Amino acid sequence: MDTGRKIGDVILSFENISLSFGGVKALTNIGFDVREHEIRAIIGPNGAGKSSMLNVINGVYHPQEGEIIFHGKHRRDMNTYESAKSGIARTFQNIALFKGMSVLDNIMTGRNLKMKSNFLLDAIYWGPARREEIEHRKKVEEIIDFLEIQHIRKTPVGRLAYGLQKRVELGRALAAEPSILLLDEPMAGMNVEEKQDMCRFILDVNDQLGTTIVLIEHDMGVVMDISDRVVVLDYGKKIGDGTPDEVRTNRDVINAYLGVAH
Amino acid sequence: MQFFLEVLLGGLLSGIMYSLVALGFVLIYKASGVFNFAQGAMVFFAALTAVGLHDMGLSLWLAVPLTMAIMIVLAVAIEKIVLRPLVNQAEITLFMVTIGLTFFIEGLAQAIWGASVRKLELGIEDVPLEFLLDNAGIAISQFDLVAAGIAFVLVAALAIFFSKTKVGRALRAVADDHQAALSIGIPLQQIWVIVWGVAGFVALVAGLLWGARNGVQFALTFVALKALPVLILGGFTSVPGAIVGGLIIGASEKLAEVFLGPYVGGGIEGWFPYVLALLFLLVRPEGLFGEKIIRRI
Amino acid sequence: MFYREAGQFKATYAEDSQIFPIRQDRIGMAIILLVAFVAVPLFASPYYFSAILIPFLIFALATLGLNILTGYAGQLSLGTAAFMAVGAFASYNFMLRIDGMPILIAFMLSGLCAAAVGIVFGLPSLRIRGFYLAASTLATQFFIVWCLTKIGWFTNYSSSGVITAQQIEILGYAFDTPMSKYLFVLIVVSVMALLAKNMVRSNTGRSWMAIRDMDMAAEVIGFRPMRTKLLAFAVSSFYCGVAGALYAYAYLGTVEPEGFSIEMSFRILFMVIIGGIGSVLGSFLGSAFIVLLPTALNVMFHFLEKDLGLELPSGISSSVELMVFGALIIFFLIVEPHGLARLWQIGKEKLRLWPFPH
């Protein structure tokens, strides 16, 4: 598991994040940080606020209180466009692919922020637009190779099996060459084999590209195996934070979550 | 001031007509999530069938129930042929399919009964109510008042139907959650037929009232189109919304036509409700009484 | 058997991302263009040009416009005819009021006018979706037609509200015969169809489809919904505007605002649905189908009345036309939501094997 990659400084941190919908509190005073190049897991029982937390990170939800410190800048909330622009990409719990488009096109959308062409150049499709399209196509093909989905590149994603769709969604996120990758239950609903593949992809991305990864996952085996540090949420509150070993022995965590099983 | 009141009341009363048409939309949308663009065509079809049967020599007492029976047959046919194959399709697909339905029903009505304007006499005269004219100096059509009364009774009856009967409760369950309703054994298909049947009934009442007022003709379908801004104002899921929205649209378009129209060349009735609804949408997309939609990912 | 790509290998991504990557398709397209540009002008009669071919091409362009908005960007509009009206009346005024205005520039400018109007009426799409938006586009339809009727300046104070389009003239050559008008329309439509195809197969098209399929995910990836939707409205309205100008200049010659009615908007929507939602080819197929349908029905009724001696009530053909339109829409949405374009594709896949069973 140790690959010689270096975990760096804190690049993203949260202080006292509180989020509510109407009167319902989804997150209460959450604070934790993410270090460069690490794999940071967020775990917790259903409804603990994990997805809400991810949505706060990339600006889908806007917390009422708290502070996000990203790239040294202090701010109340993020917005989706800026967060994408500054290198945060993500996948969704319920796959959010563009169903009417092919695998290739879906992954190509991930490169949109790197494309300079506009609709007029696109319309003419001669010279710069064409060159750019092909250049990005090369990059996308690398991702397709990496994820081993060459055989389905022209298939509309709506027709693919669940596990493959998850892989394509990871591909779309990777296409943006993110510095931080948010994965919302990347292995939910997969069989053992598919999970192993997905683990391998996540570790490779982290290892070879140095991408920082924040992930939510229910499979404890996987989480304890691949993550560097783990945050545990329960009912919107943080009840544990540390290395997998620390979390495993944390009383509160065992009571709230792991303890149920043992 | 008297003139203003007269215009306002006239507008409100014609607004009740819009409410009636809008009511049909709301019923169907609540129960099946289908935005039934064909409601207007159903109004036209119902009115034309009733008048057509009447013109063939049937008394209205016979023609109207017979038309109702035909509307129920239509409801069953729509459910079986059009809606059932499209269960779980996107809302927008269902919406477009009802546009196709609109054309089909309009064509069917004219193919059977011809395209000419037909007169309908309900035996209520469209003259100002003397009592009001004498005492307050306001001319309000007797017919409009009766129509308003009928509409009121209809709405009240529907309210009781929804809250007090078993079918009504099942309907509300379906409106809340199709899956959940299915899982406790509510027969969805039957409910849909009932709802489309009720909507057909509402269409029949609306068609008779409109038709008696302006003649039964193709233009009825345009009147029905006005129900769309009514729904936007009132919210797609709210029965009170349909009523209030209808009143607002009816009153505001008449007021706008009479007081604003002369300055811009008239004829603004044709678009005023739509623009009003559009502006309203920008401020409050869910309508006056609609439920706020929280989008999740 | 005859339609298969075996043996045609792509060595570069450029080759793989052509519009027609398969050789048979390229040959097919070349034949279609050859027929359209050479064979049709040689053999067709004036009736075919003005009654079928020209309206087919013009409606194909309008359908393409609506398809960009509805099929690709997922924003349903019921106000297409209004944008066509803007294009028709704008080019009329450009030609009328500016001396020596070249007609192609006038068409471009009228398209831009329609695009500007499209952006204004597309603004609600930022807050509302689906049939809420559809209902609000009715405002476009009624308001614009009303404006063109009531504001005399647009029709040059013509008392009847009818305008007579100026002659199409380029570099001294007058396009005044049905055939020359057909060729003019054909060139404009072909070029614009190519541009549209290019847009939808590159990043612009992907941004539209992303917003259509899953707007939240599109936003998270970095597409900006406002810009993307308004661009779709603008481009779509531009296409409809130019189609409207052609409708006035190359098809009818004289038009009035009321001619751009809501029925026309619906008709174009039907062309999109029957032809194929989200398909450039489908726009042409849908237009051909709907333009030919009334003619076919008329022929059929003629046959029933004259040859079989049936007594049919007057006006029955227009009622039956409505019914057939409606039934077709229902049929396509239930059986083949991707329309004729998809049927064509299925047909091609069958052809790969035909005449052998496997």
Side-chain angles (χ1 to χ4, degrees), chain A residues 58 60 80-81 84 88 90 92 95-101 104-105 108-110 112-113 115 118-119 122-125 130 133-134 137-138 141 154 159 172, chain C residues 13-17 21 194-196 198-199 201-224 231 235 342:
Chain A
N58 79 330
V60 178
T80 45
Y81 178 72
I88 300 179
R90 74 172 283 185
F92 297 84
I95 300 170
L97 284 168
F98 308 124
K99 293 259 183 312
M101 298 158 76
L104 183 63
D105 279 341
M108 282 291 273
T109 61
N112 82 88
L113 283 174
M115 299 183 97
N118 60 40
F119 76 99
D122 281 350
I124 296 161
Y125 202 77
R130 188 157 171 270
E133 185 84 5
I134 287 164
R137 171 81 189 269
K138 275 184 198 144
E141 289 289 344
K154 299 241 165 121
R159 286 197 218 153
R172 186 179 67 186
Chain C
Y13 294 135
E15 274 177 36
D16 191 43
S17 47
L194 177 67
L195 296 180
N198 283 340
M199 271 188 273
R201 70 188 173 123
S202 51
N203 197 42
T204 306
R206 285 193 296 267
S207 71
W208 289 336
M209 290 186 273
I211 288 283
R212 172 195 71 189
D213 285 351
M214 185 73 68
D215 54 355
M216 200 40 133
E219 207 180 324
V220 164
I221 283 176
F223 290 122
R224 272 170 292 186
L231 179 66
V235 173
R342 177 88 189 109

Side-chain angles (χ1 to χ4, degrees), chain B residues 29 35 37 81-82 85-86 91-93 95-97 99-101 103-104 106-108 110-111 222 225 228 232 236 264-268 270-271 274-275 278 281-283 285 295 297, chain C residues 70 76 78 121 123-124 127-132 134-136 138-139 142-143 146 150 215-216 262-263 266 269-270 273 277 313 316 319-320 322-327 329-330 333-334:
Chain B
Y29 186 70
F35 184 88
F37 198 78
I81 301 169
V82 181
L86 286 170
E91 278 187 338
I92 205 78
T93 307
F95 174 62
M96 289 195 288
V97 103
I99 295 180
L101 207 54
F103 273 66
F104 185 81
E106 285 171 6
L108 183 67
Q110 293 187 38
F222 285 97
L225 224 48
L228 291 176
I232 291 177
F236 283 71
V264 290
I268 61 177
W271 55 263
Y274 300 98
V275 175
L278 186 70
L281 268 178
L282 296 176
V283 186
R295 301 186 60 234
I297 55 163
Chain C
T70 303
L76 184 57
L78 302 177
F121 283 93
L123 284 172
R127 295 212 50 181
I128 54 178
R129 62 194 63 242
F131 40 67
Y132 279 78
S136 78
L138 284 174
F142 292 117
F143 183 67
W146 178 84
K150 292 292 170 183
D215 54 355
M216 200 40 133
I262 184 154
E263 274 82 33
F266 278 129
L269 177 64
F270 288 1
I273 296 173
I277 295 172
I316 187 87
S319 312
V320 171
L322 284 179
M323 287 174 71
V324 172
F325 273 148
I329 293 303
I330 296 170
L333 284 172
I334 292 174

